[in-house]
Amino acid sequence: MKLKLPRPNLREAGDKVRETEFWKSVFRPGSIFRRGYKDTQRDRALAMMNNVLYHLHPVKIKRHGLKLTYTFCLGGLSFFLFVLLTITGIYLMFFYRPSADIGAAQAYSDMLQIRNSVFFGDLVRNIHRWGAHLMVFTVSLHMARVFYTGAYKPPREFNWVVGVILLFLTLGLSFTGYLLPWDQLSIWAVQVGTSLAGYSPLIANQVKFILLGGIEVGPETLLRWYVLHVLFLPFILVLFLAVHFWRIRKDGGISGPL
Amino acid sequence: MATREETPMDQAVFDKTMETELGKGTDRRVAEGRARAAGVRAYRKAHGEPEREAKPAEERSHAPAASAAGGDGGAAAAGAAQVPAGAVAYAAPGAAAVRTAPPPTGKVPAPKPGAPDKHRLLALVAPEGIQRVEREQGDRINVFPHLLMEEFVSLLVMSAFLIVFSTFVNAPLRELANPNLTPNPSKAPWYFLGLQELLRYFHPQIAGVIVPTLILVGLMAVPYVDRNPSTKPGDRKLAITLFTMLFMFGAVLTMAGSFFRGPSFNWIWPWGQHTSLFFDL
Ligand code: HEM
């Protein structure tokens, strides 16, 4: 006797799911997840139009915009790195307390914990650290690419200015993060870096005091820089990124070809 | 824009205005708009139709057109033109006459008693108000799948690189911070080491405040200083030379500060000693 198992009919089940109110509420009417995808011009356009990435990309771009040796995808990589740093940074925040009281520097012992006992802690920390250095690097190279292709020329002048602000914010994020491990490397790097602020004309001491939350690098500095690092600077950076991306589209997409 | 009904107009006046406007060097589209308006006005006058209150074009335009010149408009939908405030008109369905909106009072308008509960807003757009969309429709490709695939692959390559690198190379973590024990040398993060190197040669106010400020402000000013419209490398020799020199200058200073400075920030040769002792990421 042959045993007959009921074979699930996947196609039918899929159709049923696509018919549900819930599915329809998630995917917009033209979405390829509702109507299925055939590789036609129409469906390629619909795939973009019913997709959150439509905020960033139009349906079509100049063929030249695809050329890797024009942008080297450096702006895109900077953005990916920023996303990756946000994800790994949030993970690290679960295990890190920005306190540096004398004799009980939680920040440093949390770093040791992250390295030694947190699940994938050392890997995530390494990715966060190397990714941050890499981002400073890619953003600088992106700027150089924009310069050498003359992409800052009208109508893109203002987007270059936004870019310089992004560069400044990227450096700020990197530098504020550098202090957080609270080891000999970080506090002395910050000591050296901020001592320069003590030479600003007229308001030297005020600037330094605001930066450090005191007259030298101490627990107040750590708390201050932590808030700047995990909240304030990323927030501002995202605002400027929004303007940056919006302007790329409004200025007519990628510049060029040369 | 949708096709519009032809409004009767006085062709002679149209031609004449067109000629004078073009003579003045007005942009063709703008000239056409002005000429058409003049023609229609003349026709209405001649045929006893009430002339609409019309302000001179200069007054009505609120400048978006001028600022859009030169942009190829890119993603902006062709029809999405800015509407000068004065040109918004209200029209009840079926009503033929076009009324201009009353001047704003600053208060929320109350519905008129007996007004129909449906209305249409018509936008009358001065020709100057239309954003020009100049782009060759020709050689365009779909973002999906081509660009998205390229971005996805670069994302994967970068993530893979970073994960592999981070698996094998540990980020530094030194001993607990000790404000009483200054390491020798004390170095800033690598991207500031160029400035720290400059400190060896200049007063801290110059190296630490004036130079970085000049760099930031100077960078922001680049597009406004370099008025050369060409993007061809051959036409930009000066700009490219200057930028390359500055970039190289920064790179050399950064390398010097990173690898050639040992204890007390004195000069060392990296092949002579263990530079890694004096440089950390
Ligand atoms: C957080 C840092 C930044 C991010 C995430 C970012 C992102 C991007 C992206 C994704 C693009 C599209 C083209 C490409 O990938 O190359 C772009 C274009 C552009 N970026 Fe950035 N950027 C950043 C910083 C900068 C900086 C520092 C500058 C210049 C000082 C700059 C100026 C420009 C300009 C002018 C364009 C238009 C280029 C063109 O049309 O060819 N950006 N940016």
Side-chain angles (χ1 to χ4, degrees):
Chain A
M1 218 175 78
K2 247 166 84 190
L3 188 67
K4 246 176 118 189
L5 284 172
R7 296 253 305 293
N9 185 339
L10 284 182
R11 176 182 296 260
E12 212 168 79
D15 285 347
K16 277 228 180 71
V17 172
R18 273 198 288 275
E19 284 305 305
T20 58
E21 285 294 310
F22 176 70
W23 192 267
K24 287 184 185 168
S25 73
V26 176
F27 299 105
R28 304 191 66 249
S31 165
I32 56 172
F33 296 108
R34 255 169 92 163
R35 328 171 31 257
Y37 179 76
K38 282 199 285 310
D39 199 16
T40 60
Q41 283 292 321
R42 183 182 147 80
D43 274 9
R44 286 178 173 196
L46 286 174
M48 260 337 274
M49 280 196 266
N50 294 287
N51 180 323
V52 67
L53 291 177
Y54 201 34
H55 277 291
L56 295 180
H57 288 312
V59 168
K60 285 191 157 195
I61 55 166
K62 287 180 246 175
R63 177 182 300 277
H64 142 84
L66 207 59
K67 214 174 127 199
L68 207 55
T69 48
Y70 188 75
T71 63
F72 296 97
C73 209
L74 283 165
L77 284 179
S78 309
F79 178 57
F80 296 148
L81 277 169
F82 178 70
V83 174
L84 197 66
L85 286 165
T86 308
I87 296 170
T88 50
I90 290 174
Y91 187 73
L92 293 174
M93 278 176 78
F94 284 120
F95 309 105
Y96 175 87
R97 281 160 287 187
S99 101
D101 297 327
I102 314 287
Q106 276 300 342
Y108 186 74
S109 43
D110 286 347
M111 289 307 297
L112 293 177
Q113 286 291 316
I114 287 172
R115 270 192 121 176
N116 300 326
S117 46
V118 168
F119 189 63
F120 277 125
D122 53 352
L123 180 66
V124 175
R125 172 178 180 240
N126 288 346
I127 294 177
H128 195 76
R129 179 101 170 191
W130 300 133
H133 286 311
L134 193 58
M135 183 171 164
V136 174
F137 209 64
T138 56
V139 171
S140 313
L141 289 183
H142 170 58
M143 183 179 79
R145 179 302 270 179
V146 170
F147 185 89
Y148 285 117
T149 55
Y152 57 83
K153 305 202 168 190
R156 298 184 176 78
E157 307 101 307
F158 184 65
N159 218 14
W160 168 275
V161 176
V162 174
V164 177
I165 296 173
L166 286 173
L167 174 69
F168 180 73
L169 290 171
T170 307
L171 289 176
L173 270 166
S174 190
F175 194 37
T176 50
Y178 210 76
L179 180 66
L180 303 188
W182 204 249
D183 63 348
Q184 276 294 70
L185 189 61
S186 61
I187 71 155
W188 289 100
V190 168
Q191 188 79 54
V192 170
T194 53
S195 68
L196 293 177
Y199 292 99
S200 335
L202 307 175
I203 46 166
N205 290 334
Q206 287 83 339
V207 169
K208 210 173 158 192
F209 197 89
I210 288 175
L211 275 179
L212 296 184
I215 46 171
E216 55 175 27
V217 180
E220 298 79 12
T221 321
L222 182 61
L223 181 57
R224 193 162 287 213
W225 286 38
Y226 174 76
V227 175
L228 288 175
H229 184 75
V230 303
L231 218 57
F232 184 77
L233 291 173
F235 175 65
I236 306 284
L237 188 103
V238 167
L239 289 186
F240 278 98
L241 267 188
V243 177
H244 199 59
F245 293 161
W246 170 73
R247 273 306 290 251
I248 294 172
R249 288 190 65 175
K250 285 293 174 189
D251 293 338
I254 282 308
S255 62
L258 285 183
Chain B
M1 249 188 223
T3 49
R4 61 168 153 183
E5 273 172 44
E6 271 308 316
T7 327
M9 67 171 179
D10 188 328
Q11 190 64 36
V13 175
F14 176 87
D15 291 342
K16 213 176 115 245
T17 319
M18 191 74 189
E19 203 175 305
T20 32
E21 286 288 341
L22 287 180
K24 277 194 289 183
T26 315
D27 189 274
R28 180 156 200 102
R29 276 176 80 123
V30 177
E32 221 174 86
R34 287 188 185 151
R36 183 178 297 280
V40 170
R41 241 178 276 133
Y43 177 89
R44 287 202 178 134
K45 211 170 195 159
H47 291 75
E49 282 178 44
E51 192 190 349
R52 278 195 294 116
E53 185 199 341
K55 282 177 244 148
E58 287 76 19
E59 244 179 88
R60 261 187 288 129
S61 70
H62 294 285
S67 64
D72 74 4
Q82 253 96 347
V83 182
V88 177
Y90 166 83
V98 178
R99 278 185 283 146
T100 39
T105 57
K107 283 190 219 115
V108 180
K112 290 206 180 66
D117 58 357
K118 270 190 197 160
H119 71 278
R120 281 186 294 174
L121 277 176
L122 291 184
L124 300 186
V125 182
E128 298 90 335
I130 297 173
Q131 285 202 3
R132 304 186 59 187
V133 179
E134 260 178 21
R135 64 173 180 203
E136 63 313 342
Q137 287 294 332
D139 202 13
R140 295 191 160 241
I141 47 130
N142 280 98
V143 166
F144 178 91
H146 305 296
L147 180 63
L148 289 192
M149 192 51 80
E150 189 174 294
E151 288 177 343
F152 186 61
V153 169
S154 42
L155 170 72
L156 284 187
V157 170
M158 187 203 60
S159 310
F161 166 75
L162 209 52
I163 290 173
V164 170
F165 189 82
S166 299
T167 308
F168 293 107
V169 188
N170 268 330
L173 184 68
R174 294 217 199 137
E175 359 19 295
L176 173 66
N178 181 353
N180 302 318
L181 183 69
T182 314
N184 189 5
S186 296
K187 287 192 179 184
W190 65 270
Y191 35 83
F192 290 148
L193 284 182
L195 292 177
Q196 203 175 343
E197 177 70 17
L198 266 192
L199 268 181
R200 295 290 289 192
Y201 315 111
F202 296 101
H203 185 271
Q205 193 160 47
I206 296 177
V209 183
I210 296 178
V211 169
T213 312
L214 278 184
I215 291 178
L216 274 183
V217 175
L219 276 179
M220 289 202 203
V222 162
Y224 305 97
V225 174
D226 174 12
R227 300 310 294 171
N228 169 7
S230 172
T231 56
K232 301 253 178 305
D235 301 339
R236 306 176 56 216
K237 294 210 175 81
L238 179 66
I240 288 181
T241 313
L242 282 178
F243 187 83
T244 308
M245 272 169 56
L246 279 177
F247 207 82
M248 284 298 138
F249 194 60
V252 167
L253 281 179
T254 305
M255 301 274 234
S258 305
F259 303 119
F260 293 81
R261 291 292 180 181
S264 314
F265 220 66
N266 285 326
W267 194 266
I268 54 157
W269 298 105
W271 43 90
Q273 286 134 47
H274 299 287
T275 324
S276 59
L277 286 179
F278 310 121
F279 175 72
D280 227 339
L281 288 165

